[in-house]
Amino acid sequence: MIELFYSNTPNGKKISIMLEEIKFDYKITEIDLSKGDQFNLDFRKISPLSKIPAITDHKNKVSFFQSGAILIYLAEQSGQFYEKNNRNLINQWLMAQMGDIGPMLGQHHQFHHFNSGKSKFGEERYFDIAKRIYKDLDEHLSKSDFLAGKKYTIADIATFPWIARHHWHDVGLKKFKNLSRWYEIISKRESVIKGFDALKKGEEIPKI
Ligand SMILES: N[C@@H](CCC(=O)N[C@@H](CS)C(=O)NCC(=O)O)C(=O)O
């Protein structure tokens, strides 16, 4: 049994989608970020930077924080979405999500979606970066079926929930035909649909 410490955010959804994909038994413990649950001492023992997602694998008696490390652990445990002979490439795209795509789109959410009008500099900077991310991903996906080659991997699972906030980004996903193709294929996966709505509130994946 995996316990997933979760909030309904793109970083949280990466792990609920992965758990659905690999069909592991899991339960969700919600961390209410607005109430400051992430600062509880028990949670900080598992996640020292006070951030979701985190997991405890009660069978193996191990805990992990950082979504990329969690995805690698679950992929290794299940033997899925992390082919041994393609790990160099998968790791690069996973790190690209962790270090660039997620944090930069996260800033764009803050300046453009949640706090528009507060900082012209911040809004312009992260809007430009968001547009660049869409363009670069689209260009890459014109040459590759999925981010790390022909197969769907943990790099795609990590990136998908961020692009699924496309209606907040205002970049216009449909203008990017390769990124749109990738998005639509992943959107239709049964486990992605289930993991996206991990709290079972009827949340649907945004259409293009
Ligand atoms: N690099 C981390 C980022 C995690 C992260 O930023 N989590 C946010 C929610 S999406 C959080 O827990 N924020 C609470 C806080 O910083 O107080 C990962 O991928 O796991």
Side-chain angles (χ1 to χ4, degrees):
M1 156 71 79
I2 305 280
E3 183 171 3
L4 168 59
F5 297 90
Y6 181 85
S7 303
N8 196 17
T9 71
N11 287 320
K13 285 177 190 291
K14 292 175 193 175
I15 310 303
S16 52
I17 288 172
M18 179 65 174
L19 286 162
E20 291 292 342
E21 289 281 15
I22 61 178
K23 314 242 173 308
F24 274 21
D25 196 17
Y26 71 100
K27 73 165 187 184
I28 287 183
T29 297
E30 260 191 272
I31 301 292
D32 188 337
L33 301 175
S34 66
K35 290 198 181 134
D37 290 354
Q38 68 273 36
F39 302 113
N40 290 345
L41 290 182
D42 279 346
F43 181 65
R44 281 175 55 85
K45 284 184 196 148
I46 299 170
S47 183
L49 299 184
S50 306
K51 291 189 186 291
I52 65 91
I55 61 163
T56 297
D57 180 339
H58 288 287
K59 186 170 139 241
N60 292 340
K61 300 192 181 358
V62 280
S63 293
F64 286 84
F65 70 104
Q66 284 294 327
S67 58
I70 298 169
L71 287 171
I72 289 173
Y73 174 73
L74 293 173
E76 285 176 342
Q77 289 293 309
S78 64
Q80 292 185 75
F81 309 117
Y82 194 44
E83 283 73 30
K84 282 208 167 94
N85 62 3
N86 195 26
R87 284 194 181 169
N88 288 342
L89 193 55
I90 298 172
N91 287 344
Q92 288 172 68
W93 282 100
L94 180 64
M95 297 309 142
Q97 189 292 312
M98 293 292 295
D100 285 319
I101 298 168
M104 293 301 109
L105 291 180
Q107 293 306 313
H108 183 47
H109 293 176
Q110 288 304 321
F111 285 102
H112 177 78
H113 180 73
F114 290 117
N115 294 289
S116 73
K118 288 198 183 153
S119 164
K120 189 169 181 292
F121 172 79
E123 275 184 59
E124 286 178 1
R125 173 176 165 78
Y126 292 105
F127 210 156
D128 284 347
I129 292 176
K131 288 179 196 157
R132 214 173 111 183
I133 288 171
Y134 274 59
K135 183 177 136 309
D136 291 344
L137 287 177
D138 191 64
E139 205 174 296
H140 175 66
L141 289 165
S142 72
K143 296 170 279 184
S144 186
D145 292 343
F146 291 97
L147 289 175
K150 287 197 175 310
K151 289 190 179 160
Y152 172 71
T153 70
I154 52 173
D156 300 293
I157 293 174
T159 306
F160 177 81
W162 284 95
I163 302 302
R165 289 279 196 247
H166 61 87
H167 50 301
W168 290 7
H169 300 156
D170 286 330
V171 174
L173 177 55
K174 68 156 110 36
K175 288 187 289 191
F176 299 88
K177 76 175 197 307
N178 307 295
L179 185 58
S180 295
R181 168 192 53 76
W182 170 89
Y183 182 80
E184 287 207 317
I185 288 172
I186 298 175
S187 298
K188 289 187 182 127
R189 292 179 71 90
E190 208 173 303
S191 304
V192 174
I193 294 168
K194 255 177 123 177
F196 198 85
D197 185 30
L199 297 180
K200 299 189 171 50
K201 291 187 170 168
E203 187 181 355
E204 287 183 10
I205 295 172
K207 301 243 175 339
I208 296 181

